[in-house]
Amino acid sequence: MANTNIDELSKSLETLYLDGKFDKAVDLLLESKNQLTAVDFHYNLGTVYSKMGELGPGRYHLELAMKKGYIGSDILNNLAFIKSKLQGIDLSFSQNMSDKLLSFLSQYPVSYAVSITLVLMLISLLLFKFKKVGSKLVLGALLVLSLSPVISHQLLLSGKSFAVNIKEMKIYEGPSSVYDVRVTIPGGSKFILGKSDGDWFYIDHPLDLTGWVKKEDIGIL
């Protein structure tokens, strides 16, 4: 019965999507959240919001789907579409090298880094087995190097909190609306949060967007 319900839900969502009834598709997804896996829920909701031009919630839910382990050309294309509409205001567009590296690593869940590490370790062992690597010392070095994707991912992203602004958002010079506004950015930008003060968060990265934002304006990933 559960599979039948999922099939019916999928067909209903597909029909609403193809008919351009995106609001109803959103309502159906929200009503049916408990019937879907977290990945399917966030991916579909993000896709529908993106089609509606709601870049903030679209980016937020697509990023959540990736964080929970889904990587595919479809989700990468949807995210690329959203980024193309941001006019360069995003972590991925920063000219700072540390911002670029953090942006790249944040696109992929740790499970992806683990998979790469396992493949590299397997290759190293096969090279040793077939005597392409003749020294155990060299094999040890290769195995250590194989750990670099996981180590890099964990070390550089450890303690980092990523977020997306759900709607157009003002960035202030201090943790209150009495401070001057540094810049206003469109919904859908991704950034890294630092310290907090009550209902305010400080943007650490990208460096071009550092400042304080209201908690209610962002979705933490």
Side-chain angles (χ1 to χ4, degrees):
M1 182 64 69
N3 289 336
T4 301
N5 289 339
I6 292 298
D7 289 341
E8 291 176 355
L9 175 59
S10 298
K11 290 178 181 178
S12 297
L13 286 170
E14 183 178 4
T15 299
L16 291 172
Y17 186 85
L18 293 175
D19 290 345
K21 298 177 180 179
F22 303 122
D23 288 334
K24 291 185 177 180
V26 168
D27 291 339
L28 181 57
L29 281 166
L30 294 175
E31 293 170 4
S32 309
K33 181 178 180 180
N34 293 334
Q35 300 180 46
L36 299 167
T37 65
V39 167
D40 286 340
F41 172 74
H42 289 297
Y43 171 73
N44 283 293
L45 194 55
T47 299
V48 174
Y49 273 130
S50 300
K51 192 68 174 180
M52 295 169 67
E54 298 286 343
L55 303 186
R59 175 78 177 272
Y60 175 66
H61 286 286
L62 290 173
E63 291 280 355
L64 279 178
M66 287 193 68
K67 183 178 180 179
K68 294 181 182 298
Y70 179 59
I71 298 176
S73 59
D74 48 0
I75 196 170
L76 293 175
N77 287 336
N78 287 340
L79 285 170
F81 168 77
I82 291 175
K83 292 176 186 179
S84 71
K85 301 295 183 180
L86 295 177
Q87 300 176 343
I89 305 173
D90 185 66
L91 181 65
S92 61
F93 293 115
S94 174
Q95 297 304 307
N96 181 275
M97 289 306 298
S98 64
D99 287 349
K100 287 181 178 294
L101 180 58
L102 290 171
S103 176
F104 174 77
L105 292 175
S106 72
Q107 293 183 72
Y108 305 101
V110 66
S111 58
Y112 192 78
V114 170
S115 297
I116 294 175
T117 289
L118 292 175
V119 169
L120 292 175
M121 293 181 74
L122 178 60
I123 291 173
S124 299
L125 292 171
L126 288 174
L127 289 174
F128 182 74
K129 178 180 179 180
F130 292 105
K131 303 187 184 302
K132 299 298 182 180
V133 173
S135 167
K136 290 185 177 180
L137 185 61
V138 175
L139 173 62
L142 289 174
L143 292 175
V144 171
L145 287 174
S146 299
L147 295 172
S148 57
V150 170
I151 294 174
S152 298
H153 195 282
Q154 291 299 95
L155 285 180
L156 293 175
L157 297 186
S158 177
K160 298 288 191 304
S161 180
F162 292 83
V164 171
N165 59 312
I166 304 301
K167 56 185 179 180
E168 183 178 84
M169 179 182 71
K170 295 178 180 178
I171 300 177
Y172 295 84
E173 292 183 351
S176 170
S177 55
V178 301
Y179 288 93
D180 290 338
V181 175
R182 287 194 64 249
V183 66
T184 300
I185 62 175
S189 295
K190 185 178 179 181
F191 40 84
I192 300 175
L193 301 175
K195 57 190 175 182
S196 62
D197 186 342
D199 291 331
W200 292 77
F201 282 96
Y202 186 78
I203 295 179
D204 267 344
H205 297 273
L207 299 180
D208 293 341
L209 297 182
T210 54
W212 292 88
V213 295
K214 298 177 182 178
K215 182 180 179 179
E216 64 189 43
D217 291 340
I218 65 176
I220 299 176
L221 300 170

